[in-house]
Amino acid sequence: MGNLVAIVGRPNVGKSTLFNRLTNSRRAIVSDEAGTTRDRQYGKCEWCGREFSVVDTGGWVVNSDDVFEEEIRKQVIVATEEADLVLFLVDVKNGLTDLDEDVARILRQSKLPVVLVANKADDGKDLYGQYEFYKLGLGDPFCISAATGSGTGDLLDFVLTKLPVTSGDDLEDNVPRFAVVGRPNVGKSSIINAFIGEDRHIVTDIAGTTRDSIYTKYDKFGFDFYLVDTAGIRRKNKVTEDLEFYSVMRSIRAIENSDVCILMIDATRGIEAQDMNIFQLIQKNNKSLVVVVNKWDLVEDKSQIAIKTFETAIRQRMAPFVDFPIIFASAITKQRIFRVLETAKQVYLNRTIKIGTSKLNEVMLPIIEQTPPPSIKGKYIKIKYVSQVPDTQIPTFIFYANLPQYVKEAYRRFLENKLRENWTLTGTPINVFVRQK
């Protein structure tokens, strides 16, 4: 079970800069204008051999002054409900503000470990600014500079002491884990209830702490699987129902702890930005995917043309990954519910496919010979051999070439498409590497 750390604080205290520093990425867009982060708010941090997920809440603020402070309060509440630890960022140069005190009040009420981080301590004289933050009642501030990295090592050492050590779960390894994800009110609970049915074939409920996803094991329809259900789905909190951030925070754990994600989309609303955010989480975590268009019973036009149009729209938005099943279903009328589970199982099997080396070479080498990688500066690239790497999380293929550095992304995608044409890899991401032979 992964730990989840949320970075909270008012705008412009350097949340994105700290996020980039912790996740070793330059991905969040950093600029001096308040409210510029978006969609780049989730990553992994590795420190001293432990890994945890980091969420930058700054990416979710609707930038208009009247709702600004209200939004930030909402986010802090969601973060305290979903995370294992909160990093509360304040700005040493600007000093204490009313909004900092508001956020501190919410954090003091939560039972969560909170680390107070005084950012922008870029030189010695900034350190004197830290003392006024003691009145927030959150203990000693950690003085850091997210921009230069100063102090972040000590901060991370301290964070690891505060994070609960997660035990390996008592799950059987070869039983697939399916997570039902999607934004609020898309019908996740209804579809889970439809899966369970009245004849509850539940074998075991395995729960970690309250914040962990809950696994329910089923042996329905002749196969075993765990359904990963975020415990939080049951806790309806009025404050956060409309918040995009809420659906992403809720999904992170379920996605990280699953093999196959069943992403639900509302047939009456089409594919929205929030669906795309969850889809990107699924991709970042290399999970397999089944898309379920729910509430299909409410759609007037159910013609083949309508279905085709809807499918095309979904695949276009999710490109370049387009090889995944789409099922039009209804949790309420139970239409095609069984098909969802069967498909999820098939996608899980595709994820664990093993292709023999001789078969791979027999199929792929003639294709490569017919369409070799384009030559660069008069150098011809020759791919001599291909094999699948054993025991990887997703199917991983290595093509051995004389000049791997000249093989472009477009050609790698071509190889991936040919692999998908010749073997059933539907629904699962795959890795294609080109290495020196």
Side-chain angles (χ1 to χ4, degrees):
M1 284 289 187
N3 290 128
L4 192 54
V5 171
I7 304 175
V8 305
R10 59 186 177 75
N12 265 5
V13 289
K15 294 189 292 294
S16 298
T17 313
L18 180 61
F19 173 81
N20 290 348
R21 172 79 48 196
L22 297 183
T23 56
N24 282 335
S25 67
R26 299 222 105 342
R27 286 189 319 216
I29 310 151
V30 183
S31 94
D32 294 338
E33 233 170 278
T36 48
T37 325
R38 202 83 183 123
D39 169 52
R40 293 286 188 213
Q41 64 307 62
Y42 161 81
K44 298 254 198 301
C45 172
E46 200 175 302
W47 187 251
C48 297
R50 279 178 69 185
E51 193 184 62
F52 55 88
S53 301
V54 186
V55 179
D56 166 18
T57 61
W60 298 99
V61 175
V62 180
N63 197 2
S64 67
D65 297 334
D66 47 338
V67 294
F68 215 32
E69 301 192 356
E70 194 37 46
E71 282 294 317
I72 291 166
R73 283 187 203 103
K74 278 184 185 179
Q75 278 172 359
V76 173
I77 291 170
V78 177
T80 55
E81 283 188 354
E82 293 299 321
D84 295 301
L85 177 138
V86 170
L87 294 177
F88 174 29
L89 226 57
V90 290
D91 177 343
V92 169
K93 282 193 170 35
N94 281 346
L96 193 59
T97 68
D98 294 349
L99 191 49
D100 291 331
E101 295 192 10
D102 279 359
V103 171
R105 196 171 308 120
I106 299 170
L107 292 175
R108 283 199 306 270
Q109 287 164 355
S110 81
K111 302 277 178 284
L112 211 54
V114 175
V115 182
L116 180 60
V117 182
N119 189 25
K120 305 193 185 177
D122 301 328
D123 53 40
K125 59 179 187 295
D126 293 326
L127 295 175
Y128 297 116
Q130 66 175 306
Y131 298 110
E132 63 174 323
F133 294 110
Y134 277 95
K135 68 185 267 200
L136 294 175
L138 291 168
D140 300 340
F142 263 83
C143 284
I144 68 159
S145 164
T148 65
S150 139
T152 47
D154 295 342
L155 172 65
L156 280 169
D157 288 341
F158 183 69
V159 164
L160 290 188
T161 64
K162 291 289 178 203
L163 279 179
V165 176
T166 49
S167 57
D169 23 63
D170 329 320
L171 302 185
E172 299 161 48
D173 281 346
N174 51 357
V175 176
R177 307 175 190 187
F178 302 154
V180 178
V181 293
R183 51 194 166 71
N185 305 328
V186 70
K188 297 188 291 290
S189 309
S190 325
I191 204 164
I192 288 171
N193 293 341
F195 287 157
I196 301 169
E198 294 323 298
D199 50 335
R200 288 168 177 263
H201 277 156
I202 303 176
V203 186
T204 42
D205 262 356
I206 299 171
T209 63
T210 49
R211 291 169 191 287
D212 284 339
S213 299
I214 283 184
Y215 295 99
T216 312
K217 188 175 177 191
Y218 297 97
D219 55 356
K220 287 194 83 165
F221 318 121
F223 59 85
D224 280 3
F225 59 95
Y226 287 108
L227 213 49
V228 185
D229 177 11
T230 39
I233 290 175
R234 302 194 180 83
R235 196 173 53 232
K236 281 276 183 277
N237 187 330
K238 280 295 155 282
V239 106
T240 51
E241 263 313 350
D242 56 349
L243 209 57
E244 271 184 63
F245 174 60
Y246 165 84
S247 59
V248 170
M249 284 288 279
R250 280 277 189 268
S251 311
I252 287 174
R253 253 177 236 276
I255 290 170
E256 286 183 349
N257 297 324
S258 68
D259 298 305
V260 179
C261 295
I262 299 170
L263 171 61
M264 298 188 62
I265 291 174
D266 186 331
T268 60
R269 308 202 19 196
I271 187 162
E272 299 185 324
Q274 222 165 324
D275 302 316
M276 289 306 297
N277 281 324
I278 295 174
F279 170 68
Q280 277 155 359
L281 284 178
I282 296 171
Q283 279 219 297
K284 273 184 196 159
N285 280 290
N286 277 333
K287 300 304 181 187
S288 303
L289 173 69
V290 176
V291 170
V292 176
V293 179
N294 189 31
K295 308 190 186 175
W296 193 239
D297 52 318
L298 304 179
V299 175
E300 303 276 305
D301 179 5
K302 294 189 177 65
S303 66
Q304 279 306 307
I305 298 172
I307 290 179
K308 265 276 160 278
T309 314
F310 210 123
E311 278 192 359
T312 311
I314 293 175
R315 291 191 204 283
Q316 275 173 348
R317 288 291 297 275
M318 296 185 178
F321 180 44
V322 289
D323 185 14
F324 53 84
I326 299 176
I327 298 168
F328 292 83
S330 161
I332 302 300
T333 66
K334 296 206 163 90
Q335 178 190 17
R336 300 196 192 90
I337 289 299
F338 177 38
R339 177 102 151 271
V340 173
L341 288 177
E342 278 186 323
T343 308
K345 186 189 185 193
Q346 187 51 54
V347 163
Y348 173 75
L349 293 174
N350 297 350
R351 186 184 178 81
T352 52
I353 191 170
K354 303 270 182 291
I355 305 170
T357 306
S358 57
K359 192 80 192 130
L360 262 176
N361 285 283
E362 184 188 312
V363 174
M364 292 303 291
L365 291 183
I367 292 174
I368 293 168
E369 230 158 80
Q370 256 182 339
T371 320
S375 60
I376 291 188
K377 300 178 193 151
K379 292 190 168 66
Y380 290 99
I381 303 162
K382 291 191 178 58
I383 294 177
K384 290 280 175 28
Y385 181 73
V386 52
S387 68
Q388 182 180 358
V389 185
D391 306 325
T392 47
Q393 192 200 5
I394 57 173
T396 301
F397 302 92
I398 297 189
F399 290 81
Y400 292 95
N402 56 345
L403 300 163
Q405 66 277 27
Y406 291 133
V407 178
K408 294 276 187 285
E409 182 54 44
Y411 194 76
R412 273 215 298 277
R413 200 163 289 152
F414 164 78
L415 293 174
E416 175 174 336
N417 291 339
K418 290 300 171 195
L419 286 164
R420 290 182 183 281
E421 278 170 31
N422 287 284
W423 287 277
T424 36
L425 293 158
T426 304
T428 189
I430 64 177
N431 284 328
V432 173
F433 297 117
V434 184
R435 296 270 158 80
Q436 191 75 38
K437 66 171 190 287

